[in-house]
Amino acid sequence: MEYTITKFAKLAGVSSRTLRYYDEIGILKPARINSSGYRIYGPEQVNQLQQILFYRELGMELEKIRNIITSPTFDPAEALSEHRTKLLAKRTKLNKMIASVDQSLAAAEGRITMSDNEKFEAFKQKLVDDNEEKFGEEAREKYGDETVDKSNQKVLGMSEEKYAEVNRIEMEMKEALSKGMAIGDPASEPAQKAADLHRKWLTYFWDKYTKEAHAGVAQMYVDDERFTAYYDHQQPGTAEFLRDAVHIYTGMNS
Amino acid sequence: MEYTITKFAKLAGVSSRTLRYYDEIGILKPARINSSGYRIYGPEQVNQLQQILFYRELGMELEKIRNIITSPTFDPAEALSEHRTKLLAKRTKLNKMIASVDQSLAAAEGRITMSDNEKFEAFKQKLVDDNEEKFGEEAREKYGDETVDKSNQKVLGMSEEKYAEVNRIEMEMKEALSKGMAIGDPASEPAQKAADLHRKWLTYFWDKYTKEAHAGVAQMYVDDERFTAYYDHQQPGTAEFLRDAVHIYTGMNS
DNA sequence: TATACACCTTGACGTAACGTAAAGGTAAAG
DNA sequence: CTTTACCTTTACGTTACGTCAAGGTGTATA
């Protein structure tokens, strides 16, 4: 079972150049060199190449692959785990890029009016940034790429009238919320009305509504200080109160 | 408002080498060259560099950026949309890599017994492959990265006893299902028992159960011919019947 | 005014993992 | 013996710069 370089390459589905390169960088040496200087590969090389290709498939650099397969003290699991972290970071970066592309596509296609209302622009910018930078990673983990992508697109595609509606609803919600807080009971009618308005408000950004996600967001208002600060601006404890109201509203308080 | 190269670079947050390179490849020429051969940049260059950096942030190649910003006939929206497709493809590829890494990590950490039961291995392999290749992209879009990642890990971490349980439950489900089909009513007791067993079966793969997702999977059995073929193997119409039963079971049939 | 020091120039090598010639030796077939 | 197929090494091209190196320029200070 000995092969010259092209036979070996075809067997493994790589190019002969690749094999010469692997020889050059010392990651895969041929079994021997014959009298004419030809590289001769054997079954042992078949196995080793399989290994190399396996790690290569995972997007790992040849340098690291060499570490794994040559150094006996090297821990493959650790290397893999480290590699996994890298891949996750890449994915996060890609997600951000995609969100940005969606954003500028929306602008390019004229779905959003390029300014004339700066607040409006800033508002959308902020929403998308929030979506991505602040809790984009977590949200994508929990709700999925499509959900977050669509949410971004929905925001970016929003007209100024819609924007006005959103603003009105948010104001109504805050009003109901402060009434509820005056009563002090998140199960009270104004508090539940606030929770319902909050649901309405969310549907402007979300593609589909679920109680679980609603409750999750409400919890986040408490957990993430940036949101807490936003809601507690007028009155401390508002974020927490809203969360309680929403948890009752969604029935996720048990 | 004229700048020598380093001032301009600092203003824009790039290196002077970058600016020389951009000059070299003709993507951003200085406004003029002074008597000593120094590159002098003006406000026009500031704007153009902003543009370049914007597209660069999106991961676009400088060559394409040049096309966009120099050629007047070039459609930026089309280029962006094409770029978006590329990014999505990259993300899919990354997702697959991560799944593979998880898989081999499971093997490396000994969570799965390396062989001695070939069927078992093949079974897990198949499940993971299903998860990824068949509807991995869709599932990730719908349920999120974390959900699918965890599902894969759960399968790979499964012991042989668990595997036996899973198999038993699936058989029980199929039995109940055929009884239900004999009756012909997806609301009948055996059919509902099948739906319940199906839920149990799913929890072996899913990190968390929701009615919506359960109903979604059942629908997929009908929509995706590969699954339809699997369920209809014994008796045609089984996939559809199971879907109906699950939709009743989850209350998603209204 | 001499000099130190900051800033500019072009040229060129290095990076990762090969693809792609080019120039020349070898094996097998006709 | 020639053609053809296959092998060898050498070396440039790819992307977007980082990093010297060698040498010219501008300005503040001793």
Side-chain angles (χ1 to χ4, degrees):
Chain A
M1 280 304 148
E2 296 206 313
Y3 313 95
T4 53
I5 197 162
T6 305
K7 314 246 185 195
F8 186 49
K10 281 184 180 161
L11 178 72
V14 301
S15 75
S16 48
R17 175 66 175 104
T18 297
L19 293 177
R20 288 197 195 93
Y21 181 64
Y22 287 179
D23 183 7
E24 184 186 335
I25 65 172
I27 199 177
L28 179 65
K29 299 272 183 198
R32 60 189 182 85
I33 308 264
N34 76 5
S35 57
S36 310
Y38 286 20
R39 292 174 180 79
I40 308 294
Y41 294 89
E44 214 171 316
Q45 280 68 50
V46 175
N47 287 331
Q48 189 160 6
L49 184 53
Q50 297 300 350
Q51 286 244 349
I52 293 171
L53 296 180
F54 167 73
Y55 287 114
R56 193 182 70 165
E57 281 275 294
L58 306 181
M60 204 178 277
E61 293 155 23
L62 295 182
E63 191 55 34
K64 285 196 184 157
I65 297 180
R66 172 163 53 191
N67 287 337
I68 295 179
I69 60 174
T70 62
S71 168
T73 64
F74 216 82
D75 182 11
E78 197 187 318
L80 275 177
S81 161
E82 184 194 332
H83 184 58
R84 189 187 130 96
T85 306
K86 267 195 185 175
L87 293 179
L88 290 178
K90 268 195 185 178
R91 188 166 69 183
T92 301
K93 203 173 155 192
L94 258 180
N95 281 333
K96 283 183 186 171
M97 285 181 181
I98 292 168
S100 287
V101 169
D102 285 344
Q103 186 173 1
S104 67
L105 269 175
E109 289 171 11
R111 284 200 310 255
I112 63 174
T113 335
M114 263 313 203
S115 80
D116 109 342
N117 183 340
E118 289 192 15
K119 268 193 197 168
F120 181 47
E121 292 304 320
F123 163 78
K124 285 183 296 190
Q125 186 65 46
K126 192 180 156 303
L127 276 173
V128 171
D129 285 0
D130 280 5
N131 241 17
E132 278 308 316
E133 288 174 31
K134 290 189 182 167
F135 60 132
E137 301 168 36
E138 294 167 47
R140 280 184 191 276
E141 292 291 332
K142 280 189 194 142
Y143 309 123
D145 288 342
E146 195 191 328
T147 309
V148 182
D149 285 355
K150 281 210 176 146
S151 169
N152 284 342
Q153 288 169 348
K154 208 164 179 183
V155 170
L156 294 166
M158 202 180 284
S159 71
E160 304 197 18
E161 304 96 72
K162 285 273 180 190
Y163 163 65
E165 281 177 47
V166 169
N167 257 1
R168 191 173 45 73
I169 288 175
E170 193 180 4
M171 282 175 62
E172 278 183 39
M173 183 195 78
K174 283 182 181 171
E175 206 180 307
L177 206 54
S178 75
K179 276 188 196 165
M181 283 188 78
I183 300 174
D185 179 9
S188 64
E189 191 260 330
Q192 287 305 298
K193 188 183 166 194
D196 186 58
L197 285 166
H198 187 246
R199 176 189 59 71
K200 264 195 193 164
W201 184 78
L202 274 179
T203 58
Y204 279 90
F205 311 118
W206 285 3
D207 195 48
K208 75 176 178 199
Y209 171 88
T210 68
K211 288 178 180 179
E212 289 78 10
H214 190 182
V217 166
Q219 180 60 45
M220 196 189 57
Y221 289 165
V222 176
D223 294 340
D224 190 312
E225 55 181 5
R226 290 163 301 209
F227 287 91
T228 312
Y230 177 72
Y231 282 100
D232 286 8
H233 182 64
Q234 304 276 358
Q235 190 169 358
T238 306
E240 206 168 334
F241 188 80
L242 176 58
R243 179 204 55 186
D244 292 341
V246 167
H247 278 201
I248 290 166
Y249 179 81
T250 57
M252 310 296 279
N253 58 326
S254 52
Chain B
M1 281 304 146
E2 296 206 313
Y3 314 94
T4 52
I5 197 163
T6 305
K7 315 243 185 198
F8 186 50
K10 281 185 180 160
L11 179 72
V14 301
S15 75
S16 48
R17 176 65 176 104
T18 297
L19 292 177
R20 287 197 196 94
Y21 182 64
Y22 287 179
D23 183 8
E24 184 187 335
I25 66 171
I27 198 176
L28 179 64
K29 297 273 184 197
R32 61 189 183 84
I33 307 263
N34 77 4
S35 57
S36 310
Y38 286 19
R39 291 174 181 80
I40 308 293
Y41 294 89
E44 214 171 313
Q45 281 68 50
V46 175
N47 287 332
Q48 188 158 6
L49 183 53
Q50 297 300 350
Q51 286 243 349
I52 293 171
L53 295 181
F54 167 73
Y55 288 113
R56 194 182 69 164
E57 280 276 293
L58 307 181
M60 203 177 277
E61 292 156 25
L62 295 180
E63 191 55 36
K64 284 196 184 156
I65 297 180
R66 172 163 55 192
N67 288 337
I68 295 178
I69 62 173
T70 62
S71 168
T73 63
F74 215 83
D75 181 10
E78 196 187 320
L80 274 177
S81 161
E82 185 193 331
H83 184 58
R84 189 187 130 97
T85 307
K86 266 195 186 176
L87 292 180
L88 290 178
K90 267 195 186 180
R91 187 166 70 182
T92 302
K93 203 173 153 192
L94 257 181
N95 281 333
K96 283 184 186 169
M97 284 182 183
I98 292 168
S100 287
V101 169
D102 285 344
Q103 187 172 1
S104 68
L105 268 176
E109 290 172 9
R111 283 202 309 259
I112 62 173
T113 334
M114 262 314 204
S115 79
D116 107 342
N117 183 339
E118 288 192 17
K119 267 194 197 166
F120 180 48
E121 293 303 319
F123 163 77
K124 285 183 296 190
Q125 186 65 47
K126 192 180 157 302
L127 276 174
V128 172
D129 285 0
D130 280 5
N131 241 17
E132 278 308 315
E133 288 173 31
K134 291 189 182 166
F135 60 131
E137 301 168 35
E138 294 168 46
R140 279 182 192 275
E141 292 291 333
K142 279 189 195 143
Y143 309 123
D145 288 341
E146 195 191 327
T147 309
V148 181
D149 286 354
K150 281 213 176 145
S151 169
N152 284 342
Q153 288 169 348
K154 209 163 177 182
V155 170
L156 294 166
M158 203 182 283
S159 69
E160 303 197 18
E161 304 95 71
K162 286 273 180 190
Y163 164 63
E165 281 176 48
V166 170
N167 257 1
R168 190 172 46 74
I169 287 175
E170 192 178 7
M171 281 175 62
E172 278 181 39
M173 184 196 76
K174 283 183 180 168
E175 205 182 308
L177 207 56
S178 77
K179 275 187 195 165
M181 286 188 76
I183 298 171
D185 179 10
S188 64
E189 190 261 330
Q192 286 306 298
K193 189 184 167 193
D196 186 58
L197 286 165
H198 187 245
R199 177 190 57 73
K200 264 195 191 162
W201 184 79
L202 274 179
T203 58
Y204 279 91
F205 310 119
W206 285 3
D207 193 48
K208 73 175 180 201
Y209 172 87
T210 69
K211 288 178 179 178
E212 289 79 9
H214 189 183
V217 165
Q219 182 60 45
M220 195 189 58
Y221 289 165
V222 175
D223 295 339
D224 189 314
E225 56 182 6
R226 289 164 302 208
F227 287 90
T228 313
Y230 176 72
Y231 282 100
D232 285 8
H233 182 62
Q234 303 276 357
Q235 192 169 355
T238 305
E240 207 167 334
F241 187 79
L242 175 58
R243 179 203 57 187
D244 293 341
V246 167
H247 278 201
I248 291 166
Y249 178 82
T250 58
M252 310 296 278
N253 58 324
S254 56

